[in-house]
Amino acid sequence: MVVKEEERLELFLKTGLDERTARNTIANNKVTNNLTAVIHEAVFTGGCNRAIGNLLYTVATKYPANALIHRPALLGYIVTTKIKTPAQLEAAFSFLSSTASESFELKGFEEVCGVGVEVPEEDIERTVNEVFEQNKGSILELRYRTNVGDLFGHVCKMLPWADPKIVKKLIDAKLYELLGGRTAADNEKPSEQKKEKPAKVEDKEVADDNPVQPPEELNPFLIFPNPEENFKAMFVSFGLAKEQGGCCYLRYDDTNPEAEKKEYIDHIEETVEWMGWKPFKITYTSDYFQELYELAVELIQRGHANVDHQTPEEIKEYREKKMNSPWRDRPIAESLKLFEFET
Protein backbone atom coordinates (compact mmCIF):
# COMPACT_ATOMS: atom_id res chain seq x y z
CA MET A 1 0.00 0.00 0.00
CA VAL A 2 1.43 3.39 -0.96
CA VAL A 3 1.92 6.13 1.61
CA LYS A 4 -1.05 8.13 0.32
CA GLU A 5 -3.37 5.16 0.81
CA GLU A 6 -2.04 4.59 4.33
CA GLU A 7 -2.73 8.23 5.17
CA ARG A 8 -6.27 7.97 3.82
CA LEU A 9 -6.85 4.75 5.73
CA GLU A 10 -5.79 6.45 8.96
CA LEU A 11 -8.03 9.43 8.15
CA PHE A 12 -11.06 7.22 7.51
CA LEU A 13 -10.49 5.16 10.65
CA LYS A 14 -10.53 8.35 12.73
CA THR A 15 -14.10 8.99 11.59
CA GLY A 16 -15.30 5.72 13.08
CA LEU A 17 -15.19 3.53 9.97
CA ASP A 18 -14.18 -0.05 10.69
CA GLU A 19 -10.97 -1.11 8.97
CA ARG A 20 -12.61 -3.34 6.40
CA THR A 21 -15.07 -0.67 5.26
CA ALA A 22 -12.24 1.86 5.17
CA ARG A 23 -10.13 -0.39 2.94
CA ASN A 24 -13.06 -1.08 0.60
CA THR A 25 -13.68 2.67 0.41
CA ILE A 26 -10.08 3.26 -0.62
CA ALA A 27 -10.58 0.75 -3.44
CA ASN A 28 -13.28 3.04 -4.87
CA ASN A 29 -11.63 6.22 -6.14
CA LYS A 30 -14.87 8.20 -6.41
CA VAL A 31 -16.00 7.48 -2.84
CA THR A 32 -12.46 7.96 -1.54
CA ASN A 33 -12.18 11.41 -3.09
CA ASN A 34 -15.66 12.39 -1.92
CA LEU A 35 -15.12 11.20 1.64
CA THR A 36 -11.71 12.87 1.86
CA ALA A 37 -13.19 16.16 0.65
CA VAL A 38 -16.13 15.88 3.07
CA ILE A 39 -13.85 15.24 6.06
CA HIS A 40 -11.67 18.24 5.19
CA GLU A 41 -14.70 20.47 4.58
CA ALA A 42 -16.06 19.48 7.98
CA VAL A 43 -12.63 20.12 9.51
CA PHE A 44 -12.61 16.70 11.12
CA THR A 45 -9.17 15.54 10.04
CA GLY A 46 -8.37 14.91 13.71
CA GLY A 47 -11.26 12.51 14.03
CA CYS A 48 -14.86 12.44 15.28
CA ASN A 49 -17.29 10.08 16.97
CA ARG A 50 -18.91 7.24 15.06
CA ALA A 51 -22.35 8.85 14.87
CA ILE A 52 -21.00 11.92 13.07
CA GLY A 53 -18.66 9.72 11.02
CA ASN A 54 -21.65 7.73 9.72
CA LEU A 55 -23.35 10.93 8.62
CA LEU A 56 -20.18 12.12 6.88
CA TYR A 57 -19.93 8.82 5.03
CA THR A 58 -23.56 9.15 3.94
CA VAL A 59 -22.88 12.67 2.66
CA ALA A 60 -19.88 11.34 0.70
CA THR A 61 -21.95 8.60 -0.95
CA LYS A 62 -25.45 10.09 -1.35
CA TYR A 63 -25.18 13.88 -1.49
CA PRO A 64 -27.01 15.29 -4.57
CA ALA A 65 -24.43 16.27 -7.20
CA ASN A 66 -26.51 19.21 -8.41
CA ALA A 67 -26.20 21.01 -5.06
CA LEU A 68 -22.48 20.77 -4.25
CA ILE A 69 -22.35 24.50 -3.60
CA HIS A 70 -24.43 23.91 -0.45
CA ARG A 71 -22.48 20.95 0.92
CA PRO A 72 -20.30 23.01 3.29
CA ALA A 73 -23.44 24.51 4.83
CA LEU A 74 -24.93 21.07 5.40
CA LEU A 75 -21.68 19.86 6.97
CA GLY A 76 -21.86 22.82 9.33
CA TYR A 77 -25.20 21.54 10.60
CA ILE A 78 -23.72 18.07 11.09
CA VAL A 79 -20.63 19.36 12.92
CA THR A 80 -22.79 21.35 15.34
CA THR A 81 -25.15 18.34 15.73
CA LYS A 82 -28.13 20.36 14.52
CA ILE A 83 -28.58 17.52 12.05
CA LYS A 84 -27.86 14.30 13.90
CA THR A 85 -30.07 11.54 12.55
CA PRO A 86 -30.30 9.71 9.20
CA ALA A 87 -33.93 10.90 8.86
CA GLN A 88 -32.85 14.54 9.11
CA LEU A 89 -30.04 13.96 6.63
CA GLU A 90 -32.35 12.32 4.09
CA ALA A 91 -34.72 15.30 4.42
CA ALA A 92 -31.78 17.63 3.80
CA PHE A 93 -30.75 15.70 0.67
CA SER A 94 -34.28 15.94 -0.71
CA PHE A 95 -34.50 19.67 0.00
CA LEU A 96 -31.08 20.46 -1.49
CA SER A 97 -31.67 18.27 -4.54
CA SER A 98 -34.77 20.35 -5.33
CA THR A 99 -32.95 23.60 -4.58
CA ALA A 100 -29.86 22.70 -6.64
CA SER A 101 -27.48 25.65 -6.95
CA GLU A 102 -30.09 28.29 -6.12
CA SER A 103 -29.99 30.15 -2.82
CA PHE A 104 -32.50 29.25 -0.13
CA GLU A 105 -33.76 30.52 3.20
CA LEU A 106 -32.20 28.80 6.17
CA LYS A 107 -35.49 28.94 8.06
CA GLY A 108 -37.26 26.86 5.42
CA PHE A 109 -34.38 24.40 5.28
CA GLU A 110 -34.35 23.96 9.05
CA GLU A 111 -38.12 23.42 9.19
CA VAL A 112 -37.92 20.71 6.54
CA CYS A 113 -35.04 18.96 8.33
CA GLY A 114 -36.43 19.22 11.83
CA VAL A 115 -33.51 21.30 13.06
CA GLY A 116 -33.95 22.27 16.69
CA VAL A 117 -36.99 20.04 17.10
CA GLU A 118 -36.82 18.09 20.35
CA VAL A 119 -39.74 15.73 20.77
CA PRO A 120 -40.56 15.34 24.49
CA GLU A 121 -40.61 11.78 25.79
CA GLU A 122 -44.18 12.38 26.96
CA ASP A 123 -45.27 13.03 23.35
CA ILE A 124 -43.49 9.90 22.16
CA GLU A 125 -45.13 7.84 24.90
CA ARG A 126 -48.56 9.23 24.01
CA THR A 127 -48.02 8.37 20.34
CA VAL A 128 -46.81 4.87 21.20
CA ASN A 129 -49.96 4.38 23.28
CA GLU A 130 -52.12 5.51 20.34
CA VAL A 131 -50.41 3.11 17.95
CA PHE A 132 -50.78 0.24 20.42
CA GLU A 133 -54.46 1.05 20.96
CA GLN A 134 -55.06 1.00 17.20
CA ASN A 135 -53.33 -2.38 16.88
CA LYS A 136 -54.27 -3.88 20.26
CA GLY A 137 -56.33 -6.76 18.86
CA SER A 138 -53.59 -7.89 16.53
CA ILE A 139 -50.89 -7.52 19.20
CA LEU A 140 -52.85 -9.62 21.71
CA GLU A 141 -53.34 -12.29 19.07
CA LEU A 142 -49.76 -12.43 17.80
CA ARG A 143 -48.11 -11.49 21.11
CA TYR A 144 -44.32 -11.36 20.67
CA ARG A 145 -44.63 -12.35 17.01
CA THR A 146 -46.09 -8.92 16.36
CA ASN A 147 -44.28 -7.01 13.63
CA VAL A 148 -42.46 -4.55 15.89
CA GLY A 149 -41.03 -2.87 12.81
CA ASP A 150 -44.52 -1.83 11.73
CA LEU A 151 -45.25 -0.34 15.16
CA PHE A 152 -41.94 1.50 15.07
CA GLY A 153 -42.69 2.77 11.57
CA HIS A 154 -46.12 4.09 12.56
CA VAL A 155 -44.66 6.03 15.48
CA CYS A 156 -41.83 7.50 13.39
CA LYS A 157 -44.27 8.48 10.66
CA MET A 158 -46.28 10.47 13.19
CA LEU A 159 -43.18 11.86 14.93
CA PRO A 160 -40.39 11.85 12.31
CA TRP A 161 -37.92 13.73 14.54
CA ALA A 162 -38.42 11.61 17.64
CA ASP A 163 -35.30 9.99 19.07
CA PRO A 164 -35.41 6.42 17.68
CA LYS A 165 -33.73 5.03 20.82
CA ILE A 166 -36.50 6.44 23.00
CA VAL A 167 -39.13 5.12 20.58
CA LYS A 168 -37.64 1.64 20.80
CA LYS A 169 -37.42 1.77 24.59
CA LEU A 170 -41.08 2.81 24.94
CA ILE A 171 -42.32 0.21 22.45
CA ASP A 172 -40.48 -2.54 24.32
CA ALA A 173 -41.89 -1.30 27.63
CA LYS A 174 -45.43 -1.12 26.23
CA LEU A 175 -45.20 -4.65 24.85
CA TYR A 176 -44.15 -5.92 28.25
CA GLU A 177 -46.90 -3.96 29.97
CA LEU A 178 -49.53 -5.37 27.62
CA LEU A 179 -48.28 -8.95 27.29
CA GLY A 180 -46.18 -9.57 30.38
CA GLY A 181 -43.04 -11.66 30.16
CA ARG A 182 -42.39 -14.08 27.35
CA THR A 183 -43.94 -17.49 27.85
CA ALA A 184 -42.58 -20.82 26.71
CA ALA A 185 -45.04 -20.67 23.81
CA ASP A 186 -43.65 -17.27 22.75
CA ASN A 187 -40.16 -18.74 22.59
CA GLU A 188 -41.17 -21.83 20.64
CA LYS A 189 -40.01 -22.05 17.07
CA PRO A 190 -43.08 -21.50 14.87
CA SER A 191 -43.99 -24.51 12.75
CA GLU A 192 -44.80 -23.98 9.11
CA GLN A 193 -47.74 -25.86 7.74
CA LYS A 194 -46.96 -27.70 4.56
CA LYS A 195 -49.23 -26.78 1.73
CA GLU A 196 -50.77 -29.72 -0.08
CA LYS A 197 -50.13 -29.69 -3.78
CA PRO A 198 -53.37 -29.61 -5.75
CA ALA A 199 -54.04 -32.69 -7.83
CA LYS A 200 -53.51 -32.28 -11.53
CA VAL A 201 -56.77 -32.12 -13.45
CA GLU A 202 -56.77 -32.69 -17.15
CA ASP A 203 -60.29 -31.39 -17.75
CA LYS A 204 -61.04 -27.70 -17.73
CA GLU A 205 -62.17 -26.39 -14.38
CA VAL A 206 -65.80 -25.35 -14.04
CA ALA A 207 -66.33 -21.90 -12.53
CA ASP A 208 -67.89 -21.93 -9.08
CA ASP A 209 -70.25 -19.10 -8.22
CA ASN A 210 -69.58 -19.61 -4.51
CA PRO A 211 -65.96 -20.67 -4.19
CA VAL A 212 -64.76 -21.69 -0.74
CA GLN A 213 -61.94 -19.39 0.33
CA PRO A 214 -59.08 -21.21 2.06
CA PRO A 215 -58.25 -19.89 5.53
CA GLU A 216 -55.53 -17.27 5.48
CA GLU A 217 -52.26 -18.69 6.74
CA LEU A 218 -50.68 -16.96 9.71
CA ASN A 219 -47.21 -15.71 8.88
CA PRO A 220 -45.11 -16.62 11.93
CA PHE A 221 -42.37 -14.21 10.96
CA LEU A 222 -44.28 -10.93 11.25
CA ILE A 223 -42.05 -9.96 14.14
CA PHE A 224 -39.42 -8.92 11.67
CA PRO A 225 -39.73 -5.50 10.01
CA ASN A 226 -39.85 -5.18 6.25
CA PRO A 227 -38.34 -4.69 3.71
CA GLU A 228 -35.39 -6.92 4.63
CA GLU A 229 -36.31 -10.33 3.19
CA ASN A 230 -33.71 -12.40 5.04
CA PHE A 231 -35.10 -11.86 8.55
CA LYS A 232 -36.85 -15.22 8.24
CA ALA A 233 -33.53 -16.94 7.66
CA MET A 234 -32.05 -14.86 10.48
CA PHE A 235 -34.74 -16.09 12.88
CA VAL A 236 -34.23 -19.72 11.92
CA SER A 237 -30.42 -19.49 12.04
CA PHE A 238 -30.02 -17.63 15.32
CA GLY A 239 -32.99 -19.39 16.93
CA LEU A 240 -31.78 -22.87 15.98
CA ALA A 241 -28.25 -22.09 17.19
CA LYS A 242 -29.63 -20.90 20.53
CA GLU A 243 -31.95 -23.89 20.85
CA GLN A 244 -29.13 -26.36 20.17
CA GLY A 245 -26.54 -24.52 22.27
CA GLY A 246 -24.49 -23.63 19.22
CA CYS A 247 -23.31 -20.39 17.63
CA CYS A 248 -24.34 -18.40 14.57
CA TYR A 249 -22.25 -16.26 12.25
CA LEU A 250 -23.53 -13.04 10.69
CA ARG A 251 -22.27 -13.02 7.11
CA TYR A 252 -22.63 -10.17 4.63
CA ASP A 253 -23.11 -11.34 1.06
CA ASP A 254 -20.92 -8.57 -0.36
CA THR A 255 -20.23 -9.90 -3.81
CA ASN A 256 -19.26 -6.34 -4.74
CA PRO A 257 -17.52 -4.91 -1.65
CA GLU A 258 -16.89 -1.53 -3.25
CA ALA A 259 -20.61 -0.93 -3.58
CA GLU A 260 -21.46 -1.71 0.05
CA LYS A 261 -22.85 1.20 2.06
CA LYS A 262 -21.72 1.53 5.67
CA GLU A 263 -25.16 2.64 6.82
CA TYR A 264 -26.58 -0.65 5.48
CA ILE A 265 -24.05 -2.69 7.46
CA ASP A 266 -24.66 -0.65 10.61
CA HIS A 267 -28.45 -0.99 10.19
CA ILE A 268 -28.27 -4.78 9.95
CA GLU A 269 -26.02 -5.09 13.01
CA GLU A 270 -28.21 -2.73 15.05
CA THR A 271 -31.34 -4.64 14.02
CA VAL A 272 -29.79 -7.99 14.96
CA GLU A 273 -28.81 -6.59 18.36
CA TRP A 274 -32.26 -5.04 18.83
CA MET A 275 -33.92 -8.40 18.23
CA GLY A 276 -31.79 -9.92 20.98
CA TRP A 277 -29.33 -11.89 18.86
CA LYS A 278 -25.57 -11.81 19.28
CA PRO A 279 -23.48 -13.08 16.34
CA PHE A 280 -20.64 -15.45 17.22
CA LYS A 281 -18.58 -13.71 14.54
CA ILE A 282 -19.19 -11.25 11.67
CA THR A 283 -17.80 -12.35 8.31
CA TYR A 284 -18.05 -11.30 4.64
CA THR A 285 -18.41 -13.35 1.49
CA SER A 286 -15.51 -11.45 -0.02
CA ASP A 287 -13.26 -12.95 2.68
CA TYR A 288 -13.67 -16.26 0.85
CA PHE A 289 -13.55 -15.18 -2.79
CA GLN A 290 -10.33 -17.07 -3.51
CA GLU A 291 -11.58 -20.20 -1.75
CA LEU A 292 -14.90 -20.03 -3.61
CA TYR A 293 -13.04 -19.64 -6.90
CA GLU A 294 -10.91 -22.70 -6.16
CA LEU A 295 -14.00 -24.73 -5.23
CA ALA A 296 -15.66 -23.74 -8.52
CA VAL A 297 -12.58 -24.90 -10.43
CA GLU A 298 -12.66 -28.21 -8.56
CA LEU A 299 -16.33 -28.72 -9.44
CA ILE A 300 -15.53 -28.15 -13.11
CA GLN A 301 -12.59 -30.56 -12.93
CA ARG A 302 -14.87 -33.23 -11.44
CA GLY A 303 -17.42 -32.74 -14.19
CA HIS A 304 -20.06 -31.35 -11.81
CA ALA A 305 -20.08 -27.80 -13.23
CA ASN A 306 -19.60 -26.10 -16.59
CA VAL A 307 -19.59 -22.65 -18.17
CA ASP A 308 -23.05 -21.95 -19.62
CA HIS A 309 -24.19 -19.24 -22.03
CA GLN A 310 -27.97 -19.58 -21.81
CA THR A 311 -30.12 -16.50 -21.34
CA PRO A 312 -32.44 -16.33 -18.28
CA GLU A 313 -35.40 -17.08 -20.57
CA GLU A 314 -33.65 -20.14 -22.03
CA ILE A 315 -32.73 -21.40 -18.56
CA LYS A 316 -36.36 -21.13 -17.47
CA GLU A 317 -37.59 -22.92 -20.60
CA TYR A 318 -35.10 -25.79 -20.28
CA ARG A 319 -35.90 -26.26 -16.60
CA GLU A 320 -39.64 -26.38 -17.26
CA LYS A 321 -39.08 -28.96 -19.99
CA LYS A 322 -36.57 -30.81 -17.79
CA MET A 323 -33.95 -30.66 -20.54
CA ASN A 324 -30.20 -30.45 -20.11
CA SER A 325 -28.47 -27.26 -21.16
CA PRO A 326 -26.82 -27.39 -24.59
CA TRP A 327 -23.57 -26.62 -22.76
CA ARG A 328 -23.98 -29.37 -20.15
CA ASP A 329 -21.50 -31.71 -21.86
CA ARG A 330 -18.95 -29.04 -22.71
CA PRO A 331 -15.40 -30.45 -22.43
CA ILE A 332 -13.83 -29.85 -19.00
CA ALA A 333 -10.73 -28.21 -20.49
CA GLU A 334 -12.89 -25.77 -22.45
CA SER A 335 -14.97 -24.84 -19.39
CA LEU A 336 -11.82 -24.31 -17.33
CA LYS A 337 -10.35 -22.04 -19.97
CA LEU A 338 -13.55 -19.99 -20.31
CA PHE A 339 -14.03 -19.80 -16.54
CA GLU A 340 -10.51 -18.48 -16.03
CA PHE A 341 -11.02 -15.92 -18.82
CA GLU A 342 -14.41 -14.70 -17.55
CA THR A 343 -13.37 -14.36 -13.91
Side-chain angles (χ1 to χ4, degrees):
M1 182 183 291
V2 298
V3 176
K4 191 173 182 180
E5 288 185 349
E6 290 178 345
E7 292 176 350
R8 283 180 167 175
L9 177 61
E10 182 180 359
L11 178 65
F12 295 167
L13 292 176
K14 287 181 179 179
T15 65
L17 287 181
D18 61 86
E19 184 171 348
R20 187 177 180 284
T21 303
R23 291 186 182 280
N24 284 340
T25 299
I26 290 174
N28 186 312
N29 290 331
K30 181 179 179 180
V31 178
T32 295
N33 293 334
N34 284 346
L35 183 55
T36 302
V38 165
I39 293 172
H40 281 87
E41 285 179 20
V43 196
F44 269 138
T45 54
C48 61
N49 62 52
R50 183 178 179 182
I52 291 179
N54 286 345
L55 296 179
L56 296 182
Y57 188 89
T58 304
V59 171
T61 54
K62 298 179 67 175
Y63 188 86
N66 65 336
L68 284 175
I69 190 174
H70 300 305
R71 191 169 71 179
L74 174 61
L75 292 173
Y77 279 90
I78 294 175
V79 169
T80 56
T81 65
K82 291 180 179 179
I83 287 181
K84 52 188 175 183
T85 68
Q88 287 180 300
L89 193 56
E90 289 295 335
F93 289 161
S94 179
F95 180 93
L96 295 174
S97 177
S98 300
T99 304
S101 60
E102 298 179 6
S103 58
F104 60 88
E105 292 185 3
L106 291 180
K107 183 178 179 181
F109 172 76
E110 292 179 353
E111 288 179 355
V112 168
C113 301
V115 173
V117 177
E118 297 291 339
V119 183
E121 186 166 337
E122 295 77 15
D123 289 354
I124 301 176
E125 184 174 10
R126 183 166 53 253
T127 304
V128 168
N129 290 338
E130 290 177 8
V131 171
F132 267 72
E133 189 61 33
Q134 294 168 3
N135 297 274
K136 187 174 182 179
S138 174
I139 295 172
L140 289 174
E141 179 183 354
L142 298 175
R143 289 184 58 78
Y144 284 100
R145 293 192 178 93
T146 298
N147 189 334
V148 180
D150 273 355
L151 301 178
F152 191 90
H154 287 316
V155 175
C156 290
K157 185 175 182 180
M158 297 167 72
L159 299 174
W161 313 128
D163 187 329
K165 292 182 179 179
I166 296 178
V167 174
K168 174 188 175 300
K169 180 189 73 173
L170 293 175
I171 287 178
D172 290 344
K174 190 65 178 178
L175 275 175
Y176 186 83
E177 176 189 328
L178 183 62
L179 305 176
R182 285 177 177 269
T183 64
D186 290 326
N187 293 324
E188 284 181 2
K189 178 181 176 182
S191 58
E192 293 188 42
Q193 297 180 352
K194 292 185 178 179
K195 296 181 181 179
E196 294 184 4
K197 294 183 178 179
K200 292 184 178 180
V201 180
E202 297 297 332
D203 298 330
K204 293 183 179 179
E205 296 183 0
V206 179
D208 189 347
D209 293 334
N210 299 295
V212 178
Q213 297 295 331
E216 185 177 351
E217 262 192 52
L218 174 65
N219 181 359
F221 301 99
L222 290 178
I223 186 173
F224 301 113
N226 292 324
E228 285 78 359
E229 297 178 351
N230 50 352
F231 279 143
K232 176 178 177 179
M234 189 186 300
F235 177 86
V236 174
S237 299
F238 280 102
L240 185 61
K242 181 179 180 180
E243 181 182 329
Q244 299 298 325
C247 56
C248 183
Y249 288 73
L250 174 60
R251 189 200 72 186
Y252 290 101
D253 190 15
D254 55 341
T255 51
N256 183 8
E258 294 180 9
E260 292 297 321
K261 295 290 188 298
K262 187 174 186 300
E263 60 266 27
Y264 169 79
I265 294 176
D266 289 341
H267 172 68
I268 292 294
E269 293 180 19
E270 289 168 2
T271 302
V272 170
E273 181 181 354
W274 184 22
M275 293 192 301
W277 306 119
K278 184 174 178 59
F280 173 71
K281 186 178 181 181
I282 297 176
T283 62
Y284 303 83
T285 300
S286 56
D287 295 336
Y288 308 99
F289 275 178
Q290 184 58 36
E291 183 179 349
L292 292 172
Y293 174 82
E294 293 170 358
L295 288 172
V297 170
E298 184 175 346
L299 284 173
I300 294 175
Q301 291 174 336
R302 292 185 181 186
H304 298 319
N306 60 280
V307 174
D308 196 289
H309 301 295
Q310 286 182 294
T311 64
E313 293 75 17
E314 290 171 337
I315 291 175
K316 181 180 179 181
E317 178 186 356
Y318 273 69
R319 282 180 177 173
E320 290 176 350
K321 295 181 179 179
K322 298 182 179 180
M323 298 168 53
N324 284 337
S325 162
W327 312 101
R328 178 64 185 84
D329 298 320
R330 167 173 259 154
I332 291 177
E334 183 179 335
S335 278
L336 285 172
K337 185 176 181 180
L338 288 169
F339 184 70
E340 182 179 359
F341 173 77
E342 293 180 6
T343 54

